[in-house]
Amino acid sequence: MNQEQHIQSVFYKQLEQARNAYVTRLNASIDCVRVLLRQGHSFRGHNESEDSLNSGNFLVQYQFLAAHNEVINAVTLGNAPHNCKLTSPDVQKDIVNACAIETINVIIKDVGDSLFSILVVESCDVSMKEQMSIVLRYVDNSGRVNERFIGIEHVTSTTALSFKAAIDNVFSRYNLSMSRLRGQGYDGASNMQGKFNGLKTLILNESPCAFYIHCFAHQLQLALVAVAKKNIPITNFFGVVGNVILSGRGLNQEMSLQRSSDTRWSSHYNSLVSLLAMFSSVVDVLAIIIEDESCSCDQRSDATNLLELIQRFDFAFNLQLMRSVLGISNELSKALQRKDQDIVNAMQLVRLCKRRLQIMRDEG
């Protein structure tokens, strides 16, 4: 007679309450994931147990959110069913993948039917698996040039055919047409820009309007490397500089010498400036290593050879010379990597750099 006490009404109320609690827990997990993704922070912790002092960014963020919201706190963590807390690593990965899919869908929708270019970089991950990063470059409806990263594709090999197959899979997945491709940019490796079998040629055969553009800064780097390799004293000089910077833990603990963390010669310029500013400290540390009997014979021998080399006149002369040369090319390299750079201005910068190097050679 009383419908509120009917068994079906009781079940419905319980199901509705459980459903609302599940949605609250899920939204809390999604909010934490979005914050961590936006800030580019890691998720997991080394010890995620309840008594851990640092259980990882995700759980700490989740606990903070629950502590400052009574509605969330009532149905999460300790108040949630043990099999439905929605905080496991698998749940985190699923939410991250969903965020990635939604983000890429927005990018593809923004590209629409407009023309676009692709930028591809190949590299190895920490597990030595070959992969390539793909970026779309396009102009939106407001006239702004956008570069959007759309994902990393693992490839079985570094051949041009393997890269082309991976790009075709990406285009098929996101419904992108090769006929709307108007530009392609890679590094200078033969498998990328080879005239007959390179990735550039394979795409041009399918889409003749997809012009290949070689990065200006990378061209500058290749030119500097080629010139340096033709001069044996300069080649030996950079070998000594590399050995000084990487001469052992003792050297790197005592001083903050800047390493060449990438292949651009601007990093070598920073290394030379750092080495020149702390030259006396370098000599002192090498001398300490030589006298330190706790160091191995190989370390002491290497330190002795390095100390003898860096105290020579030709090393000091080449250090000052390359600091000046790379100082000029470093300014050009930074200018060539500007987002608002155009090819006319780039050519003017190249001519200016050549004149400055010519003046320095004439004065020297």
Side-chain angles (χ1 to χ4, degrees), residues 35 54 57 122 141 145 224 287 289 294 325 327 331:
V35 171
N54 186 2
N57 291 331
E122 56 173 317
N141 295 330
V145 178
L224 290 171
I289 295 176
S294 62
V325 172
E331 296 177 6

Side-chain angles (χ1 to χ4, degrees), residues 3-53:
Q3 293 296 320
E4 292 184 357
Q5 295 181 356
H6 194 280
I7 187 66
Q8 184 175 356
S9 299
V10 175
F11 278 146
Y12 179 80
K13 290 180 180 179
Q14 291 180 347
L15 290 174
E16 186 69 16
Q17 184 179 4
R19 187 182 299 110
N20 292 335
Y22 180 87
V23 172
T24 300
R25 286 192 295 272
L26 179 59
N27 286 334
S29 296
I30 292 175
D31 290 340
C32 293
V33 168
R34 292 179 63 185
V35 171
L36 295 176
L37 289 177
R38 183 180 294 273
Q39 297 300 321
H41 292 166
S42 59
F43 281 60
R44 303 294 304 280
H46 293 292
N47 182 5
E48 297 186 349
S49 60
E50 294 183 359
D51 57 347
S52 174
L53 297 178

Side-chain angles (χ1 to χ4, degrees), residues 27-225:
N27 286 334
S29 296
I30 292 175
D31 290 340
C32 293
V33 168
R34 292 179 63 185
V35 171
L36 295 176
L37 289 177
R38 183 180 294 273
Q39 297 300 321
H41 292 166
S42 59
F43 281 60
R44 303 294 304 280
H46 293 292
N47 182 5
E48 297 186 349
S49 60
E50 294 183 359
D51 57 347
S52 174
L53 297 178
N54 186 2
S55 55
N57 291 331
F58 177 82
L59 291 179
V60 170
Q61 183 81 16
Y62 199 92
Q63 293 167 1
F64 178 85
L65 185 62
H68 290 76
N69 190 309
E70 295 181 357
V71 176
I72 296 177
N73 185 52
V75 295
T76 58
L77 298 175
N79 298 323
H82 289 289
N83 62 341
C84 191
K85 291 186 176 182
L86 298 181
T87 58
S88 68
D90 292 337
V91 172
Q92 297 176 34
K93 291 179 181 179
D94 289 341
I95 297 176
V96 170
N97 290 332
C99 291
I101 293 173
E102 292 298 322
T103 302
I104 294 177
N105 288 338
V106 172
I107 295 173
I108 299 302
K109 184 179 179 180
D110 192 32
V111 175
D113 296 329
S114 62
L115 306 176
F116 62 92
S117 302
I118 59 170
L119 306 175
V120 177
V121 177
E122 56 173 317
S123 62
C124 292
D125 58 14
V126 294
S127 61
M128 301 306 295
K129 292 183 178 179
E130 294 292 342
Q131 60 186 12
M132 68 178 192
S133 303
I134 301 179
V135 175
L136 295 183
R137 180 181 173 90
Y138 63 94
V139 179
D140 60 16
N141 295 330
S142 302
R144 293 190 300 265
V145 178
N146 298 312
E147 290 184 358
R148 296 289 183 261
F149 171 76
I150 62 171
I152 295 177
E153 292 293 317
H154 289 278
V155 292
T156 56
S157 64
T158 57
T159 62
L161 291 175
S162 179
F163 288 135
K164 179 61 167 58
I167 292 176
D168 288 340
N169 290 334
V170 172
F171 276 40
S172 176
R173 185 189 312 153
Y174 301 126
N175 197 25
L176 296 172
S177 174
M178 191 69 71
S179 61
R180 292 191 282 117
L181 185 63
R182 289 298 181 269
Q184 45 180 327
Y186 322 114
D187 59 18
S190 60
N191 60 341
M192 305 300 281
Q193 68 163 355
K195 184 176 181 180
F196 299 103
N197 298 315
L199 177 60
K200 171 196 73 174
T201 304
L202 295 178
I203 292 181
L204 283 174
N205 292 337
E206 187 173 346
S207 180
C209 295
F211 295 104
Y212 169 72
I213 300 174
H214 194 177
C215 172
F216 291 130
H218 191 252
Q219 293 184 59
L220 174 63
Q221 174 211 354
L222 294 177
L224 290 171
V225 171

